[in-house]
Amino acid sequence: MATTEQEVAAASADAAEESEAVVAEMRADPGRIAADFELLSAIGGEPGGGVSRIPFSREERDAHDLVAGWMRDLGLTVRTDSFGNTFGTLAGTDSTRPAIGFGSHLDSVPHGGRFDGAVGVLGALEVIRLFNETGVQTAHPLMVVAFASEEGARFGEPCLGSKAVAGVLQEADLERLRDANGTTLAQAMRALSFDPYAMPQARWAPNTLAAFLELHIEQSRSLDEEDERIGLVDAIAGNTRIRIAIRGRQDHSGGTPMSQRQDALVAAAEVIVAAESIANEPRRRATVATVGRLHVFPNSITTIPGEVEFYLDVRDVDSDRQRLTTQDIVTRAEETAARRGLRCDWEVVSDTSPVVLPRWLRDLTTAAAELLDVPHRVTTSGAGHDAGILSRGIPAAMLFVPSRDGLSHCPEEWTSMEDIAIGAQALAESIRDIDTFLTKEVAE
């Protein structure tokens, strides 16, 4: 879509007077959002405040069922697609227009936090409540989205639900992707009565959405440290995930001299330290590299490890640097194994490029934050999101709310209900501005 900054500014100005009148009436309710969180967080809830709703688990489906019920209560038409994504649609005044979509995901990493993903879904429901209460009607239909299987912690590849609707996920991936127990994505889907080979039916037709917005916790500390309430995302980092297997010789821990060992774990440890060192090089700048999953065989206290499998996650906002860093670490792994007389095998689990989100849409979300008179800033996301997948074919925007101390993917993850309410209100204003802008553009 070719859109000038002047057109966006003009559309924002046209809507400003009307928006100010609605803002006076439309106030997101932190208490109402907190009540939703209490019920949702009980699904997969753990002592200490964390949750485990891993992709394609019974807990994830229970969360979708709960949210689907809330969607129906709000008057939305609800459907679940062949991949397990849940959608609730509110009709617009013009049924010929594509919908404006907004939402996030409901799954979590193992022993993760309550807010990652859930903020975007529950914030979207609060937007519908606000529109219902104040009589706001949009020309475009509105679609609340709860994606399935966003977290890559189980199958290694992230954003599977959004990749399914975008046509990125392929049938071959159903058997290729496996969890730590060897369960394939296809098997996990069948266990929950989804037909994996019906997945192509989930792909969205062209013009399903006019735009997509995702409200999310920042998962970093810049908003929290600067006491700003809204982050307006300009770019989303890409990620490359590699499975590396180092194979040596299993042997007795007491009877094998140090000079005769082929210890796969020591070699893996050397590679992991090297990954940290490589990512820290000044020329890498925004690069991060993580090893978060490690399998040691036979994992016995009296046995020299004969095989180690681990997963490398490299992220960057620069596509070339992302791939170059990954290759440098893999090369180091191969060199380390060769020097120690071991074997190194590796494969790409997933590879997603960084994306730059459209300026015209960010200008409209910025105008919404300014209308609400809340401190805000433009920021970059180091984490991947469903919005980044959809942005390859649909204009997308992201709004961040603060994460206390920047913590995420852990039980200590926390965002205040007041900040979530501010985020929901900014989301509501953004949707109204986008609807007004797109309606005016089509009319002209």
Side-chain angles (χ1 to χ4, degrees):
M1 177 183 298
T3 308
T4 67
E5 294 182 30
Q6 291 83 358
E7 288 173 323
V8 173
S12 299
D14 289 343
E17 186 173 342
E18 178 189 354
S19 293
E20 288 174 3
V22 175
V23 166
E25 301 177 37
M26 193 163 61
R27 295 293 178 187
D29 185 345
R32 188 162 56 188
I33 296 170
D36 287 350
F37 260 101
E38 183 175 0
L39 292 172
L40 180 60
S41 299
I43 300 174
E46 298 178 329
V51 297
S52 284
R53 290 194 296 264
I54 64 172
F56 285 102
S57 65
R58 184 67 261 168
E59 291 78 11
E60 184 195 24
R61 296 321 313 164
D62 288 347
H64 276 257
D65 290 343
L66 176 66
V67 167
W70 288 340
M71 289 177 175
R72 293 187 186 95
D73 292 344
L74 291 171
L76 306 184
T77 301
V78 180
R79 70 180 181 91
T80 299
D81 71 12
S82 59
F83 195 75
N85 300 310
T86 302
F87 310 108
T89 303
L90 183 68
T93 60
D94 185 348
S95 61
T96 67
R97 296 179 182 275
I100 297 172
F102 47 105
S104 191
H105 62 96
L106 292 170
D107 60 306
S108 79
V109 299
H111 316 298
R114 300 190 299 149
F115 298 88
D116 180 357
V119 162
V121 177
L122 299 187
L125 294 178
E126 182 67 7
V127 168
I128 298 297
R129 293 190 187 103
L130 293 177
F131 287 175
N132 286 347
E133 290 168 353
T134 56
V136 170
Q137 286 188 301
T138 56
H140 295 76
L142 302 179
M143 181 191 289
V144 175
V145 178
F147 281 119
S149 193
E150 190 269 353
E151 299 291 358
R154 180 173 185 184
F155 296 107
E157 182 158 351
C159 301
L160 296 182
S162 54
K163 286 178 177 176
V165 304
V168 175
L169 196 65
Q170 301 298 311
E171 286 193 5
D173 297 321
L174 297 168
E175 301 295 341
R176 177 181 68 85
L177 297 173
R178 296 173 177 267
D179 67 12
N181 298 316
T183 303
T184 66
L185 175 57
Q187 290 170 331
M189 293 179 68
R190 288 192 193 98
L192 293 169
S193 301
F194 288 101
D195 177 3
Y197 293 99
M199 182 190 68
Q201 299 171 16
R203 185 170 186 174
W204 284 346
N207 298 319
T208 296
L209 293 186
F212 178 77
L213 295 90
E214 185 169 6
L215 177 67
H216 206 280
I217 60 172
E218 186 186 20
Q219 300 177 288
S220 186
R221 54 174 56 99
S222 62
L223 295 178
D224 188 45
E225 288 181 344
E226 299 298 327
D227 199 27
E228 291 165 321
R229 312 271 53 89
I230 295 290
L232 304 157
V233 179
D234 60 353
I236 299 173
N239 65 77
T240 302
R241 295 179 180 179
I242 305 289
R243 183 188 67 84
I244 300 174
I246 296 181
R247 296 178 173 89
R249 187 182 66 223
Q250 180 180 331
D251 221 331
H252 194 287
S253 65
T256 310
M258 297 300 290
S259 61
Q260 297 177 12
R261 298 184 177 211
Q262 292 180 295
D263 190 325
L265 182 55
V266 172
E270 186 176 334
V271 175
I272 293 167
V273 172
E276 179 186 48
S277 176
I278 290 169
N280 267 318
E281 292 173 359
R283 65 192 177 101
R284 312 281 178 178
R285 296 199 298 276
T287 308
V288 294
T290 305
V291 173
R293 181 191 291 177
L294 190 85
H295 303 292
V296 180
F297 181 83
N299 204 30
S300 166
I301 194 171
T302 60
T303 306
I304 297 168
E307 181 176 338
V308 176
E309 180 182 271
F310 59 98
Y311 288 77
L312 172 70
D313 179 2
V314 177
R315 305 188 188 216
D316 206 309
V317 293
D318 182 284
S319 179
D320 291 339
R321 198 165 57 218
Q322 170 188 330
R323 275 58 181 253
L324 177 61
T325 300
T326 304
Q327 185 56 59
D328 286 348
I329 296 171
V330 167
T331 298
R332 185 70 65 86
E334 292 175 326
E335 291 172 348
T336 300
R339 175 166 40 82
R340 290 177 171 273
L342 313 177
R343 196 175 91 209
C344 176
D345 300 309
W346 60 274
E347 66 172 345
V348 178
V349 177
S350 68
D351 186 67
T352 303
S353 295
V355 295
V356 176
L357 300 180
R359 173 65 182 271
W360 71 267
L361 198 47
R362 189 172 75 251
D363 286 345
L364 289 172
T365 58
T366 300
E370 290 173 348
L371 180 66
L372 295 174
D373 194 28
V374 295
H376 58 276
R377 65 181 297 176
V378 175
T379 188
T380 297
S381 175
H385 299 284
D386 291 311
I389 302 302
L390 297 184
S391 70
R392 290 160 172 79
I394 298 168
M398 290 199 72
L399 294 86
F400 279 167
V401 289
S403 296
R404 186 173 66 190
D405 295 330
L407 294 171
S408 185
H409 282 193
C410 60
E412 294 78 17
E413 179 182 274
W414 180 261
T415 295
S416 75
M417 296 300 152
E418 291 74 16
D419 281 340
I420 298 171
I422 290 171
Q425 200 152 343
L427 179 62
E429 292 300 328
S430 297
I431 292 165
R432 292 181 64 248
D433 283 354
I434 292 165
D435 178 64
T436 299
F437 171 71
L438 293 179
T439 301
K440 182 174 183 291
E441 184 179 74
V442 169
E444 293 178 349

